[in-house]
């Protein structure tokens, strides 16, 4: 997926709204319906693109943007489990170089 360069403010707002909608739908399908509709790398690319746009245009960042929160609440009918060792994020490591950078 490539970053687009909408030429007008209205186009950029519409593009950001579309990105957010795609991410929200993917979140709902993944977290609530247990039915992923995007591969992890596709999801990560959408999120990265939204983060880059919001960084370049802070006026477009909103408190309810998917970049400002993580997932949804826990599923109620799944038993909770305490991991003996904390589960740490890999911060979207996609290859050995990314992983080594995080270590």
């Amino acid at each position: 997926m490539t970053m687009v360069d909408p030429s007008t403010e209205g186009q950029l707002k519409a593009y950001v709204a579309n990105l957010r909608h795609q991410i929200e739908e993917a979140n709902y399908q993944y977290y609530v319906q247990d039915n992923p509709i995007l591969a992890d790398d596709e999801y990560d690319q959408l999120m990265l693109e939204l983060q880059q746009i919001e960084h370049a245009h802070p006026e477009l960042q909103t408190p309810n943007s998917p970049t400002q929160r993580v997932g949804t609440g826990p599923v109620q009918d799944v038993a909770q489990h305490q991991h003996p060792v904390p589960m740490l994020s890999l911060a979207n490591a996609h290859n050995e170089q990314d992983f080594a950078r995080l270590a």
Side-chain angles (χ1 to χ4, degrees):
M1 183 161 292
T2 59
M3 177 113 169
V4 297
D5 185 19
S7 59
T8 69
E9 183 179 336
Q11 287 175 322
L12 184 58
K13 284 182 180 180
Y15 187 74
V16 166
N18 183 49
L19 273 176
R20 288 180 180 151
H21 175 74
Q22 289 179 65
I23 293 168
E24 293 292 355
E25 181 63 22
N27 282 341
Y28 176 77
Q29 291 297 325
Y30 183 89
Y31 291 107
V32 177
Q33 298 297 314
D34 192 24
N35 179 39
I37 59 173
L38 294 176
D40 289 349
D41 61 332
E42 293 173 309
Y43 178 89
D44 291 345
Q45 185 60 42
L46 291 175
M47 187 65 84
L48 178 62
E49 186 172 3
L50 181 57
Q51 288 169 338
Q52 290 172 339
I53 291 171
E54 288 180 350
H55 180 75
H57 301 275
E59 72 279 5
L60 296 178
Q61 189 178 67
T62 62
N64 65 345
S65 173
T67 63
Q68 303 304 302
R69 56 187 157 65
V70 177
T72 63
V75 176
Q76 298 302 318
D77 59 347
V78 175
Q80 299 296 308
H81 176 75
Q82 184 74 29
H83 291 273
V85 176
M87 300 295 293
L88 303 176
S89 172
L90 295 177
N92 295 325
H94 296 285
N95 55 47
E96 288 184 38
Q97 292 82 14
D98 289 347
F99 183 74
R101 177 181 49 82
L102 297 169

